[in-house]
Amino acid sequence: MSMRWDVLIVGAGPAGMAAAVAASRGRLRVAVLDDNAAAGGQIWRRGLGETAEPAKQKMLHAFKECGAVLLAGRRVVQAPEPGVLEAWCDETNVLERYHYDRLILATGARERFLPFPGWTLPGVMGAGGLQALVRGGYDVRGKRVVVAGTGPLLMAVAAHLKHDGAKVVAICEQASMARMLPFAAQLAKKPSKILQAVALGANLRGVSYKTGCWPVAAIGNGRLQHVELTDGRRRWTEQCDLLACGFHLVPNLELPLLFGCRVENDAVAVNAMQQTSVAGVYCAGEPTGIAGVDAALLQGEIAGLAAAGNTGGAEKLVARSKAERAFGEAMTSAFRLRDEVLRLCDANTIVCRCEDVSYGSLKALADEKNNWTDAKLLTRCGMGPCQGRVCGPAVEALFGWKNASVRPPVFPVPIAAFITEPQSEFDNQQALQEMQ
Ligand SMILES: Cc1cc2nc3c(=O)[nH]c(=O)nc-3n(C[C@H](O)[C@H](O)[C@H](O)COP(=O)(O)OP(=O)(O)OC[C@H]3O[C@@H](n4cnc5c(N)ncnc54)[C@H](O)[C@@H]3O)c2cc1C
């Protein structure tokens, strides 16, 4: 008979790790599935032992020691029945089946990309995407980089790139200074954030940070050579080798939607215990709203305690969690997209890169009052390998089209996944051995 996990967690970022540490205090059988090779999520990608910051070391160490089993390299793709999910393992080429009593979804967020002329040129990358490449060994020494878009990630990425030897030409933040002031007031209430901001400022000394400024075109012969920027009044160009460009983050909602969790205001609806609208399913971190790493850690801990039955322990954290949520709301408001960045495309600008769908063809459908499903059927927008993960948030921003449904498998899997029986025994035996 297959083993049941008392608490199964999807996502080994800060929220998932904090949930695992908290749930494991109750001596339960806890496992964490993540599609990366190591725990850490987006922010702590490099894994245990390769990071110097004490807060990261502390959490990564607590996670390693807590007794929860990390099932890395597994991507959760479907949920065939209540209490069961299936994950694809690239290493073994097997669809694995997991049984659980309680589930915590901590699937994080991804960058939002907005199309503009030239954004598909080689050399134009997502800001977080370039950071991830650099963490994986991509050499940016001596490369001239413009960092543009919106959100606090721009500064974090710029500091990282500069530290690793890039010449950061400028950081261009589309939000105006006036819009960012209330967020700055929230920051000022948090000593830890002030320290982070001061450290970032010191790392970025000499780098120009322009607010109310955004890219209008990436230009080059076969690859990026310069970027055209504007502050709404004038236009100028900056020579660069790379443009790191992202427009804040959007929650990863595919799995919560697959499990039937209610989504409100583009985030998973949860109560104070991080319980979703589905009994026994909790959600923590960025899928409940973009609010940063401190919120993810607190929500993860609350979800882990609540899933383990320790609601008293979880309640003690609720006030702090609410404060982090308020910080997240101020951040979302500060970095709201200005209208101008939604009007950058020309008719030929590609919006869906997987299926080569142009802005012009989508605009024609939008003008005829079609929706996202119509656009998918008529143009194949969002039907390619990324399954709308890149173009979905863009078309939502451009045309107001929301993705109304998800279908399993929520990530593309090889056909082998459907011609063999999902495995449960093999992996559960292996996991048990790892626990001993
Ligand atoms: C690209 C990127 C770079 C970032 N860089 C920084 C930074 O430098 N500094 C900073 O302060 N903040 C950064 N952030 C923001 C930061 O990630 C959040 O503030 C916070 O850490 C989120 O924690 P989390 O646990 O909610 O999500 P994450 O850290 O994103 O963890 C979610 C985990 O779930 C996994 N996952 C998702 N779906 C599945 C699935 N179906 N099956 C299996 N596993 C799955 C993901 O691979 C990931 O490991 C970044 C965000 C992004 C998107």
Side-chain angles (χ1 to χ4, degrees), residues 9-18 32-45 56 71 73-78 86-88 105-113 126-132 135 152-157 160 193 196 200 248-250 252 254-256 284-297 299-300 331 389 410-411:
I9 300 164
V10 185
M17 286 191 289
V32 188
L33 290 152
D34 195 287
D35 52 1
N36 286 312
Q42 296 291 357
I43 181 170
W44 298 335
R45 232 170 221 281
K56 302 178 194 174
L71 296 157
R74 270 98 174 165
R75 175 167 279 181
V76 178
V77 293
Q78 52 195 16
E86 289 173 357
W88 177 256
L105 298 171
T107 50
R110 61 178 178 269
E111 286 185 273
R112 173 166 50 201
F113 302 111
L130 178 57
Q131 183 189 42
R135 282 176 170 161
L153 185 58
L154 300 186
M155 284 182 85
V157 169
H160 189 162
K193 306 272 187 214
Q196 276 173 25
L200 267 181
H248 205 32
L249 305 176
V250 288
N252 286 329
E254 292 83 2
L255 278 194
E286 307 282 55
T288 67
I290 307 302
V293 63
D294 294 340
L297 287 168
Q299 292 180 10
M331 180 160 67
R389 280 179 180 78
V410 291
F411 289 93

Side-chain angles (χ1 to χ4, degrees), residues 206-293:
V207 175
S208 137
Y209 182 78
K210 300 178 202 296
T211 54
C213 171
W214 59 94
V216 286
I219 299 157
N221 190 5
R223 69 162 293 117
L224 178 73
Q225 288 165 319
H226 54 264
V227 56
E228 192 174 337
L229 299 160
T230 185
D231 58 8
R233 292 182 299 277
R234 64 185 187 98
R235 288 183 178 213
W236 68 97
T237 56
E238 295 282 3
Q239 306 286 324
C240 58
D241 304 300
L242 296 168
L243 169 61
C245 193
F247 290 84
H248 205 32
L249 305 176
V250 288
N252 286 329
L253 297 178
E254 292 83 2
L255 278 194
L257 286 169
L258 182 72
F259 283 90
C261 304
R262 197 173 68 244
V263 167
E264 276 168 13
N265 301 325
D266 303 323
V268 178
V270 287
N271 68 11
M273 296 289 102
Q274 303 297 135
Q275 162 82 56
T276 69
S277 58
V278 179
V281 179
Y282 298 78
C283 188
E286 307 282 55
T288 67
I290 307 302
V293 63

